[in-house]
């Protein structure tokens, strides 16, 4: 919980990100798995573990990976993700 504005409770996920407004009667604790993933990412960012955060082209879940395993995404995968993004935005017929 980040605060209150009028009748709304302002929330932010355990790992940060944008805030959103929620009716007070709908507020519930974050799922344990989400809290643990956020904590692991935080520890990794602090440099206690040698991992980097990755996300596949086109978005989706994040995961932590040892730096020596990081490789560029295949070009075809990057292009397909970009085409999907452009189509979602409605720029192509």
């Amino acid at each position: 919980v980040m605060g209150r504005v009028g009748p709304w409770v302002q929330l932010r996920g355990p790992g940060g990100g944008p805030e959103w407004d929620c009716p007070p009667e709908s507020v519930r604790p974050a799922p344990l798995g989400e809290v643990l993933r956020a904590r692991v990412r935080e520890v990794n960012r602090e440099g206690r573990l040698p991992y980097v955060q990755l996300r596949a082209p086109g978005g989706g879940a994040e995961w932590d990976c040892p730096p020596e395993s990081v490789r560029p995404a295949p070009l075809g995968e990057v292009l397909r993700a970009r085409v999907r993004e452009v189509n979602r935005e409605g720029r192509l017929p």
Side-chain angles (χ1 to χ4, degrees):
V1 173
M2 301 305 296
R4 289 178 149 320
V5 174
W8 302 100
V9 177
Q10 290 184 312
L11 301 175
R12 179 175 286 156
E19 292 181 5
W20 67 92
D21 295 332
C22 181
E25 64 274 6
S26 298
V27 174
R28 60 179 171 69
L32 181 58
E34 216 176 293
V35 173
L36 291 175
R37 278 190 296 278
R39 181 65 184 129
V40 167
R41 283 193 301 269
E42 180 183 321
V43 168
N44 288 343
R45 271 194 300 272
E46 291 170 356
R48 292 191 211 143
L49 297 174
Y51 284 81
V52 294
Q53 235 178 349
L54 299 176
R55 180 173 289 184
E62 293 180 353
W63 67 93
D64 297 320
C65 182
E68 64 274 6
S69 299
V70 175
R71 303 283 181 273
L75 182 58
E77 192 174 325
V78 172
L79 292 174
R80 279 190 296 277
R82 181 65 183 131
V83 166
R84 282 192 302 270
E85 180 183 320
V86 168
N87 286 338
R88 270 195 310 271
E89 294 171 0
R91 287 194 248 159
L92 295 179

